[in-house]
């Protein structure tokens, strides 16, 4: 299919996933930013509604919605570029699991360059102590106090988060699809896509949650001139959190994250394939 069809399908799927599961992302971020004993997923969820109102569960929604189209464009373009590159370098005729993982990691690393400013604004808005008026205010304040490069605070940790997520997600999808019985009907194909996407989402979440915790900590704290931030580089920050709060703290927010990204990964793949099928039927041969 033409690039525009793949891009549109990815954008529609991404927006569908965000609108469905966004409150879980807010709960996840709150749990990750807390340095105290965790109240758990249910406790954090209840406290947000009790203390701040249900509307707070959608605070920071605008940045990820604005991000979705450019992110999908970069993801599909990068996936296509790296896939063709690795196929050419390896001499393989078609994608295998190893090349799928390598392609996913490379595409995720490329995508991280686009994602960082939007993720930064979202995290600052989701923070319980946030006093920003909205997304535009966040951007103005960051540029005023930290400079333009302040919009890329957390770049390195985002790179690692996306690399591990994409490697686990795409590698798992390839493997699970190979293990599932061949679909005989369109409904069977959709079911296989949902299952493989959900399993891929689970594995990707297990691999990248510690990096996501670090990213949230780094991006939530404004940089102060002359003051060294507690969390700066990813792997030293992982060690600090593990030493001060225990290894389990590296998986803070795992439950809401996996509740979002496992079924979310299934929804994402299901909507992508469903939308692409509509494009195929609309465009006709040779795409059917």
């Amino acid at each position: 299919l033409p690039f525009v069809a793949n891009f549109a399908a990815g954008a529609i799927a991404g927006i569908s996933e965000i609108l469905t599961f966004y409150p879980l992302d807010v709960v996840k971020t709150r749990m990750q930013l807390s340095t105290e004993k965790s109240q758990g997923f249910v406790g954090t969820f209840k406290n947000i509604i009790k203390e701040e109102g249900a509307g707070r569960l959608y605070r920071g929604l605008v940045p990820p919605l604005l991000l979705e189209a450019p992110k999908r464009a970069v993801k599909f373009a990068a996936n296509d570029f790296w896939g063709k590159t690795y196929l050419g370098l390896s001499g393989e005729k078609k994608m295998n699991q190893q090349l799928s993982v390598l392609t996913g990691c490379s595409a995720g690393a490329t995508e991280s360059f686009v994602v960082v400013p939007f993720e930064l604004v979202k995290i600052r808005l989701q923070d319980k102590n946030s006093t920003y008026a909205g997304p535009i205010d966040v951007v103005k304040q960051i540029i005023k106090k930290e400079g333009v490069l302040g919009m890329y605070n957390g770049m390195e940790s985002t790179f690692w988060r996306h690399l591990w997520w994409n490697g686990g997600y795409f590698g798992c999808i390839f493997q699970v699809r190979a293990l599932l019985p061949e679909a005989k009907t369109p409904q069977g194909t959709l079911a296989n896509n949902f299952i493989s996407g959900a399993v891929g989402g689970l594995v990707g979440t297990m691999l990248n949650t510690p990096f996501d915790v670090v990213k949230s900590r780094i991006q939530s704290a404004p940089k102060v001139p002359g003051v060294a931030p507690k969390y700066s580089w990813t792997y030293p920050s992982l060690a600090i959190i593990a030493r001060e709060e225990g290894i389990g703290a590296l998986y803070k927010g795992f439950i809401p994250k996996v509740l979002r990204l496992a079924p979310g990964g299934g929804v994402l793949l299901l909507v992508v394939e469903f939308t692409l099928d509509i494009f195929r039927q609309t465009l006709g041969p040779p795409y059917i």
Side-chain angles (χ1 to χ4, degrees):
L1 282 167
F3 173 78
V4 67
N6 286 295
F7 164 66
I12 291 169
I15 290 171
S16 301
E17 189 270 339
I18 290 170
L19 292 174
T20 305
F21 296 102
Y22 188 76
L24 293 172
D25 189 62
V26 175
V27 176
K28 177 221 47 160
T29 299
R30 291 294 184 85
M31 293 175 71
Q32 290 178 342
L33 294 180
S34 174
T35 57
E36 301 173 358
K37 184 178 179 181
S38 176
Q39 298 175 316
F41 165 58
V42 176
T44 304
F45 191 88
K46 284 182 176 178
N47 279 345
I48 292 173
I49 296 175
K50 181 181 178 181
E51 297 175 7
E52 305 167 58
R56 195 74 174 189
L57 293 170
Y58 281 90
R59 183 165 169 82
L61 177 62
V62 173
L65 287 178
L66 292 176
L67 168 64
E68 201 55 37
K71 183 174 83 169
R72 294 297 157 190
V74 171
K75 180 187 283 288
F76 279 103
N79 211 58
D80 185 60
F81 171 79
W82 290 114
K84 289 177 179 176
T85 299
Y86 292 136
L87 281 172
L89 291 173
S90 66
E92 296 286 343
K93 299 297 183 184
K94 62 179 183 178
M95 193 65 66
N96 56 39
Q97 186 178 19
Q98 290 75 24
L99 291 179
S100 181
V101 171
L102 190 57
T103 298
C105 286
S106 300
T110 306
E111 179 190 0
S112 66
F113 287 94
V114 178
V115 165
V116 176
F118 294 89
E119 280 282 318
L120 178 60
V121 173
K122 185 195 75 170
I123 293 293
R124 294 283 176 94
L125 288 171
Q126 289 180 338
D127 192 341
K128 182 178 182 178
N129 300 316
S130 172
T131 57
Y132 297 104
I136 301 300
D137 186 41
V138 177
V139 174
K140 286 180 178 179
Q141 295 282 359
I142 291 174
I143 293 176
K144 180 181 178 181
K145 297 176 181 178
E146 304 173 46
V148 175
L149 290 180
M151 293 299 300
Y152 276 84
N153 188 19
M155 174 72 236
E156 182 243 3
S157 55
T158 304
F159 169 88
W160 288 112
R161 185 187 76 156
H162 279 256
L163 186 145
W164 284 101
W165 161 259
N166 280 273
Y169 182 65
F170 287 109
C172 226
I173 283 175
F174 189 94
Q175 186 66 33
V176 173
R177 276 176 168 168
L179 294 173
L180 289 171
E182 185 178 351
K184 304 295 185 182
T185 64
Q187 291 78 10
T189 300
L190 289 174
N192 281 0
N193 284 331
F194 182 83
I195 293 168
S196 57
V199 175
L202 173 63
V203 173
T205 302
M206 292 172 66
L207 292 174
N208 91 334
T209 295
F211 301 94
D212 194 38
V213 172
V214 169
K215 183 195 78 69
S216 295
R217 299 280 180 96
I218 291 173
Q219 290 188 320
S220 69
K223 288 185 177 179
V224 179
V227 178
K230 181 176 183 179
Y231 307 108
S232 51
W233 298 99
T234 301
Y235 288 95
S237 296
L238 289 170
I240 290 172
I241 294 171
R243 184 175 66 249
E244 294 183 352
E245 302 172 49
I247 296 292
L250 295 175
Y251 277 86
K252 280 186 173 181
F254 177 77
I255 296 299
K257 187 174 170 68
V258 81
L259 285 175
R260 177 192 176 187
L261 294 179
V267 168
L268 197 67
L269 200 59
L270 188 143
V271 175
V272 164
E273 293 297 332
F274 179 78
T275 308
L276 288 177
D277 190 54
I278 292 176
F279 276 115
R280 291 187 190 99
Q281 298 298 326
T282 303
L283 295 173
Y287 302 112
I288 295 179

